[in-house]
Amino acid sequence: MKKLLPATLLLVALSAQADSYRLPKNPAFEEECASCHMAFPPQMLHADSWRAMMGDLPRHFGSDASLDEKRRVAITDFLVANANGRKTGTTRDAAGKPLLRITETERFKRKHREIAAATFRRASIKSPANCTACHRQAAAGDYSERSINIPK
Ligand code: HEC
Ligand code: HEC
C-alpha cells in the first residue's frame, strides 16, 4: 500500500489539472477581450491561432474588435506565451490554416459530441461559444463536470 501512494497522488494532481484553465492575470486582456464575451482561456488555442486572430481584429467574427497597436502587440504576446498546443491538439483546419475558434477545434468537438446542435441554439445558450451558459464556473477556469448545468 505504502508504495502505491506517490503514484496515486500524482494521478489525483493530474486529473485536477486536466479540467482547470485558470486565467493568467493580465489587465489589458481582461479589459479588451472580455467585454463582448467571457475572456477565453489562452490555453485553449495554439499560438498560431492567436496570432492569426490578433492579426485581423477589425474583422473579428463580424465585430470590430480593433485595438491600438501597442495593446494589440501586448495582448498577442500574452496569448502566445500562454497558448497551449499540447493540451488542445492541433488547432488547424484540414488545409493547414489556423482555426480561429476554440469551438471548431477537434478537442472541443470531442468533449461536446453528446450535445445536439439544437441544444447550442436554445435561447438560453445561443452559441457553442457561450461557455458560461453551461459551465457556471468557466470564468474561474473550471470546466469540470460538477459545475456544468445545461439551461433549458
Ligand atoms: C466588439 C466585441 C468583441 C470584442 C471586443 C472581442 N470579441 Fe471575440 N468575439 C466576438 C464575437 C461576436 C464572437 C463570435 C461569438 C459567437 O460565435 O457566438 C467572438 C468570438 C471569439 C472567439 C471564438 C469563440 C469560439 O467560437 O470558439 C475567440 C477565441 C475570441 N472571440 C477572442 C477574442 C479576443 C482574444 C479578444 C480581444 C483581443 C476579443 N475576442 C474581443 C466579439 C468580440
Ligand atoms: C450547451 C452547454 C455547453 C456549452 C455552451 C459549452 N459546454 Fe463545454 N461541456 C458541456 C458538457 C455537458 C460537458 C461534459 C461532457 C462530458 O463529460 O461528457 C462539457 C465539457 C467540456 C470540457 C471538458 C471538461 C473535462 O473535465 O474534461 C471543456 C474543457 C469544455 N467543456 C470547455 C468549453 C468551452 C471552452 C466552451 C465555450 C467555448 C464550452 N465548453 C461550451 C457543455 C457545454
Side-chain angles (χ1 to χ4, degrees):
M1 262 315 266
K2 230 178 185 163
K3 256 177 25 200
L4 281 173
L5 199 57
T8 312
L9 282 178
L10 182 66
L11 268 181
V12 169
L14 282 176
S15 56
Q17 206 179 36
D19 54 21
S20 170
Y21 292 87
R22 211 148 11 90
L23 209 58
K25 262 240 141 323
N26 187 290
F29 174 66
E30 283 160 43
E31 279 166 39
E32 308 293 354
C33 305
S35 50
C36 301
H37 45 65
M38 69 171 259
F40 294 112
Q43 300 94 322
M44 286 198 182
L45 283 175
H46 196 279
D48 291 344
S49 293
W50 288 124
R51 282 195 201 95
M53 177 184 305
M54 294 302 289
D56 196 11
L57 287 176
R59 293 183 304 162
H60 181 78
F61 306 97
S63 289
D64 182 357
S66 327
L67 293 173
D68 66 63
E69 190 56 10
K70 213 173 136 206
R71 283 227 136 174
R72 192 189 68 80
V73 170
I75 294 172
T76 305
D77 289 348
F78 162 75
L79 291 168
V80 166
N82 290 286
N84 191 339
R86 187 169 51 85
K87 220 177 207 170
T88 54
T90 177
T91 67
R92 286 173 179 273
D93 67 15
K97 261 184 78 184
L99 292 168
L100 303 184
R101 286 186 179 272
I102 295 162
T103 51
E104 281 176 354
T105 60
E106 189 271 329
R107 182 185 167 84
F108 182 93
K109 289 183 186 160
R110 181 159 38 83
K111 294 284 182 188
H112 299 86
R113 70 180 156 225
E114 279 163 28
I115 302 173
T119 305
F120 282 127
R121 285 195 301 267
R122 283 178 190 164
S124 53
I125 302 172
K126 295 187 189 76
S127 160
N130 190 8
C131 322
T132 44
C134 304
H135 296 280
R136 300 311 169 94
Q137 304 299 325
D142 173 5
Y143 292 86
S144 62
E145 222 162 337
R146 66 182 177 278
S147 46
I148 296 175
N149 183 3
I150 301 179
K152 293 284 166 236

